[in-house]
Amino acid sequence: MSLTITRALHDQIVAHARQDHPDEACGVIAGPAGSGRPERFIPMLNAARSPTFYEFDSGDLLKLYREMDDRDEEPVVIYHSHTATEAYPSRTDISYANEPGAHYVLVSTADTDGLGDFQFRSYRIVEGEVTEEEVKVVEAY
C-alpha cells in the first residue's frame, strides 16, 4: 500500500498546515472515482478552530460531497495537521475515519523528530485499524 502524490499537492498540504498553525488545518484532495489518483486540492475550514482537534463544517462537507458526486470524483486523500504531536492518528481521528478507500494524510507542524519542522505521513484507517503506508512524491502522474 502506498500513496503517490505530486510534489505540487504535497507542498500545498504542507503550506496549508503551516498557514493555519497553531490551529489544525484540514482538507481533501479529490480524484476521479476509482482512480486512486489525488488531483484536486480542496482546503477546508477547521470548524473547531482548535490546536488539538479538527472538524469539517457539516454544511461545507455536504456541499463538497455533492460537488464530487457531480464531477464523478471521490475523496482520495483526507488530510489534517497535528500542531504539537507527531503525525499519527489520534483516537478521535480514528473514530471519525469513515472513508475506508481514502488515504489519511497527517502533517505535523511540531518539530517532533529533529528532522525539521514537519512530518508528512499517510495511513489507511479501516474499521479502527490504522496501517501506515509509504508516500511517493512524484513530479507528475
Side-chain angles (χ1 to χ4, degrees):
M1 288 196 303
S2 67
L3 165 64
T4 301
I5 188 167
T6 61
R7 164 79 48 205
L9 288 168
H10 171 281
D11 292 352
Q12 282 180 293
I13 292 175
V14 171
H16 184 203
R18 286 185 166 146
Q19 180 190 320
D20 282 14
H21 188 90
D23 286 346
E24 290 194 5
C26 57
V28 172
I29 302 180
S35 72
R37 200 171 61 233
E39 287 185 352
R40 192 164 65 95
F41 178 71
I42 308 153
M44 303 281 281
L45 179 71
N46 177 357
R49 291 199 177 277
S50 160
T52 55
F53 180 70
Y54 84 101
E55 189 175 29
F56 291 122
D57 176 84
S58 54
D60 288 353
L61 202 56
L62 192 64
K63 207 171 89 196
L64 171 64
Y65 271 83
R66 283 201 185 120
E67 193 181 280
M68 287 192 298
D69 221 34
D70 289 346
R71 299 171 64 129
D72 201 25
E73 292 174 331
E74 63 191 4
V76 179
V77 169
I78 297 170
Y79 73 86
H80 76 282
S81 62
H82 280 181
T83 58
T85 54
E86 68 166 339
Y88 190 83
S90 69
R91 280 196 302 271
T92 312
D93 298 339
I94 295 165
S95 68
Y96 275 152
N98 57 1
E99 286 288 347
H103 302 272
Y104 284 88
V105 164
L106 267 128
V107 174
S108 172
T109 51
D111 181 8
T112 53
D113 56 8
L115 296 175
D117 57 355
F118 73 92
Q119 296 174 329
F120 187 103
R121 294 164 73 182
S122 183
Y123 303 88
R124 290 293 180 134
I125 305 176
V126 181
E127 291 174 6
E129 283 288 305
V130 178
T131 312
E132 186 163 5
E133 58 186 4
E134 185 192 354
V135 177
K136 293 184 185 128
V137 179
V138 296
E139 292 312 313
Y141 302 129

